[in-house]
Structure formats: C-alpha cells, structure tokens
Amino acid sequence: QVQLVETGGGLVQPGGSLRLSCVASGIMFGIVPMDWYRQAPGKQRELVTSIATNNNAYYSDSVKGRFTVSRDNAKKMVYLQMNSLKPEDTAVYYCHVQWGLPKVDYWGQGTQVTVSS
C-alpha cells in the first residue's frame, strides 16, 4: 500500500527556518511528481510546491524565494527547506502524490508548522 510519512515540523520564530522530510513507499517514486501542500485552520488546502522527476519545480507565489524543494530518488524522499518563515506560513504541511490506474491522491499524516514570536 502507498504510504507517505512526513517529519520535521515544529515551532519557530518569524525569520527562522525548518526542513521538512517525506519518505514514500508503495510507489515507483522515480517516475512521479511529488508535492507539498499546506492547510491552515478554516482555510482550504493549498499547493505549496511540486517537483518533477528531473527536479524541475513549481512554487506558489507566497513561498517562492524562501522555500526550496528537493528530492532523492534513490532514498524515495522529498524535502522542503523553509527559510525566512512568516506567521502566515503557519499550517499543517502534507506530502502528496498521485498513483495508480486510475490515479488516486495519497497524503501523508501531516506535520504542524507554527511560526510565532
């Protein structure tokens, strides 16, 4: 079965940094894009970044220049380096992938990121 497990969340001050990790199993990791989403209380889940198998990446306007996504296909891991964090970055962050025929959305359990002084 497909499984995604995130780690690395926590409490940081504005301007601080965190590095999130996600390890995948049950998929052919090297042939699919991987994504990071986030969801704040009372708000819709939003796409933060997506990384292709060749490391081409998309970033939402709210995070570009501050966040960097990367992947290690041999380890089946995807990372999100978050710098210059702002209070509005506070959310639960989720790793995501589409897999199967037909394609199905798979999500990690989520990791809480809180940016506050």
Side-chain angles (χ1 to χ4, degrees), residues 49-52 54-59 69:
T49 183
S50 182
I51 182 167
N54 65 357
N55 294 310
N56 189 28
Y58 159 86
Y59 298 94
V69 65

Side-chain angles (χ1 to χ4, degrees), residues 32-53:
V32 291
M34 297 294 298
D35 315 304
W36 287 98
Y37 284 73
R38 66 186 182 186
Q39 187 167 27
K43 297 188 179 296
Q44 291 188 315
R45 191 168 297 185
E46 64 173 341
L47 178 65
V48 176
T49 183
S50 182
I51 182 167
T53 56

Side-chain angles (χ1 to χ4, degrees), residues 7-105:
T7 58
L11 173 64
V12 297
Q13 294 189 92
S17 297
L18 283 174
R19 186 177 188 247
L20 307 184
S21 300
C22 171
V23 61
S25 60
I27 65 172
M28 295 179 66
F29 184 89
I31 67 169
V32 291
M34 297 294 298
D35 315 304
W36 287 98
Y37 284 73
R38 66 186 182 186
Q39 187 167 27
K43 297 188 179 296
Q44 291 188 315
R45 191 168 297 185
E46 64 173 341
L47 178 65
V48 176
T49 183
S50 182
I51 182 167
T53 56
N54 65 357
N55 294 310
N56 189 28
Y58 159 86
Y59 298 94
S60 68
D61 288 342
S62 62
V63 308
K64 60 185 176 183
R66 300 186 298 119
F67 291 11
T68 304
V69 65
S70 60
R71 67 190 292 161
D72 185 333
N73 290 339
K75 295 181 178 179
K76 293 187 174 182
M77 294 192 72
V78 61
Y79 308 94
L80 184 63
Q81 178 67 47
M82 305 185 295
N83 299 326
S84 301
L85 283 161
K86 304 174 180 179
E88 51 262 46
D89 295 318
T90 296
V92 178
Y93 284 71
Y94 297 92
C95 187
H96 167 266
V97 69
Q98 288 189 318
W99 182 252
L101 292 172
K103 289 186 177 179
V104 174
D105 293 293

